[in-house]
Amino acid sequence: MTPRTLFTWLARAEVVTWTLLLLGMALKYVTRTTELGVSVFGLVHGVVFLAYVLVTLVLWVDQKWPVREVVLVLACGIPPFATLYAERRVERLALAPTQWRLGAGGEAPVTVPERVVATALARPVAAALVAAGAVGVVTAALLAIGPPPVPVSGA
């Protein structure tokens, strides 16, 4: 999978999960019919957000993004639908080309982060399993901490 395809899929998945989470929030807080949408879509959105962050960090290392760009792209993962802007910006600035810089036949890694990314690109199935495990561990830790508090009006 190319860097461009991977980033595009995750940026768009963020939009879909934001939409579902907002729908779940409307059902919970506006119509007061069910909390199931927030429970399910909140979890899905959280997992996709963590994957978006992980892929953004991998692209930062692999493509040598300027710090300004990685901070902007990561920040776009926070407000609803802002990853559409990030996707377009990454495309316009060619920050995610069709080849991995540190992939097979590419540049030799120099730094420790580059070595980690190059190793992951050389073993994509193992890297995907490790990434899924990392996202799972972080998700479990965040679930153990609990949801963010809901502000109470008029208290």
Side-chain angles (χ1 to χ4, degrees):
M1 181 173 292
T2 70
R4 180 182 300 158
T5 302
L6 183 58
F7 183 79
T8 298
W9 282 19
L10 278 171
R12 291 179 184 177
E14 259 293 277
V15 171
V16 170
T17 62
W18 258 121
T19 302
L20 294 171
L21 179 56
L22 291 171
L23 175 63
M25 291 171 72
L27 291 172
K28 180 177 180 178
Y29 298 111
V30 177
T31 67
R32 299 189 190 280
T33 54
T34 182
E35 295 184 15
L36 185 62
V38 172
S39 299
V40 173
F41 300 138
L43 177 62
V44 172
H45 172 68
V47 168
V48 172
F49 172 75
L50 291 172
Y52 174 84
V53 168
L54 183 61
V55 166
T56 299
L57 295 175
V58 168
L59 284 170
W60 175 34
V61 171
D62 183 73
Q63 300 299 319
K64 293 187 175 181
W65 286 4
V67 172
R68 176 181 183 272
E69 293 302 328
V70 75
V71 169
L72 179 64
V73 171
L74 287 171
C76 283
I78 297 169
F81 314 123
T83 55
L84 288 175
Y85 169 77
E87 177 192 353
R88 289 189 183 104
R89 182 174 180 86
V90 165
E91 181 72 25
R92 187 176 71 250
L93 298 176
L95 295 173
T98 58
Q99 299 245 20
W100 293 99
R101 179 178 67 88
L102 299 170
E107 294 180 25
V110 176
T111 66
V112 172
E114 285 182 350
R115 287 186 191 115
V116 170
V117 169
T119 300
L121 293 173
R123 297 168 186 83
V125 173
L129 290 172
V130 169
V135 167
V137 166
V138 172
T139 300
L142 292 171
L143 287 171
I145 293 169
V150 177
V152 179
S153 61

